[in-house]
Amino acid sequence: MNEPSRFRPERPTWRARLRRALAMGVVGILASAGVVILSGTAEAATTLGASAAEQGRYFGTAVAVNRLSESDYTATLNREFNSATAENEMKWDALEPQRGSFQFDTADRFMNHARGQGMDVRGHTLVWHSQLPGWVNSLGAGDLRTAMNNHITRVMQQYRGQIDSWDVVNEAFQDGSSGARRPSPFQNLLGNGFIEEAFRTARAADPAAKLCYNDYNTDGQNAKSNAVYNMVRDFKARGVPIDCVGFQSHFNSQSPVPSDYRANLQRFADLGVDVQITELDIEGSGTAQANSYRTVVNACLQVSRCNGITVWGVTDKYSWRASGTPLLFDGNYNKKPAYTAVLEALGGEPGGDPDPDPGTGGCSVTYDETDRWGDRFNGRVTVRAGSSAISGWTTTVTVSSAQDISTTWNGSPTWDSSGNVMTMRPNGNGGLAAGATTSFGFTVMANGDWSQPRLGGCTAA
Ligand code: G3I
């Protein structure tokens, strides 16, 4: 998880590995993901993330940390997506509400969840005119430059090596035909050069992260996208560090998917940058919405430097424009026609269940990381009974030889002679009704090795 991750969108996710394992006829346990594989035959990917990974791309979503406590939200997020962007929690007002006083707790929760699930992460966003804390607006030019560079540096260093792409500067150009820069404290006091300076500071702070410029209404060829294009061309010509351009892609009937969407992505890619669809949502419903989503996915697949797609939320009910029902899951987490269109465009097949039902008399286990500190992390294993009640269960957790499990809770552990394999049984009789869950937890001392624990199978009594 900790390696520099510039090229990680190309790397197969656990779901891709799951599919390959199935295709090879492997029957066993994919322990790192905590997924019990009960039987194996070759089959197409059945989730957005796995299907995208088969195409060498990611499929991500914006995540609202305060929704992670809702089990359907988290289950859908974990099952379907292999990349995540914090919807609000990594913006300037959230991370540095007072000058020099950084608040990383909520963003850390987001990072722990995403990384615990093996997701790639897009960082959003370092320099933006919106969601700025009030103190930024009262600075003079010298202080503003210092504050901007300090903000970029502190935030990027906090997550150094853990973010695949950062939106370094967001929405710096005006809408309409002028092609001008948008007024903002940065533009007004520092001039055009603030964008270049932000990118140079960002490269120094985390050399492994791809550095993106991100904007909306730049999805087709128009005055605004031409202005961004000219800036990127200039940056590439002068060696200003920029790796990617994000196309937000917020669409509705007034602003539909442009007919030159693919061509516009391609012309940016031809400048020598990656392109990413970063905040996709399309208002509408039914077949029309599905067709628009399909067009967007196909456009990305046709541009080799299009790394992946992020939709701007998991479910319609929490969308920033919920009344337009712009996302892939409805308010009850049902898959919409748009979901099926996206999955099929990615080469996946609907209908599969990536978390196999443990069946009568069985149980299954899944893992997630719940906290991380400088030297340790907490893991949680959730045990789920199958379609009939069980009266006890046993599973194993294996950590690497460098790591130590220092504490456990909600279970009775025993250890093998190496000390790396913990067999966990319930406290008490461990009875679980059909479909019910329980969980146990443990602290792993990393000792420099941040690899995820591997789960064995779940055996029910
Ligand atoms: O969390 C508070 C809550 O405590 C309070 O009661 C409530 C009252 O208004 O506000 C809540 O905060 C809101 C926050 O979303 C979380 O829901 C803010 O008011 C609201 O302004 C904020 O909106 C966000 C918006 O950016 C801000 O500009 C949206 O969630 C977020 O989806 C949206 O995302 C932007 C991208 O960052 C950049 N591109 C455009 C995109 C859509 O606008």
Side-chain angles (χ1 to χ4, degrees), residues 229 232 236 245 247 262-275 303-306:
Y229 179 89
V232 174
K236 294 301 286 184
V245 176
F247 298 83
R262 185 201 58 76
N264 191 49
L265 296 177
Q266 186 65 59
R267 74 168 174 151
F268 277 86
D270 290 344
L271 291 174
V273 288
D274 289 345
V275 293
V303 176
S304 61
R305 294 198 73 149
C306 183

Side-chain angles (χ1 to χ4, degrees), residues 87-88 91 124 128 130-131 170-171 248 250 279 312 320:
E87 186 171 358
N88 287 296
K91 293 173 178 174
H124 177 81
W128 186 29
S130 181
Q131 286 178 281
N170 194 44
E171 301 176 9
Q248 293 185 10
H250 294 292
E279 303 182 14
W312 205 239
W320 69 294

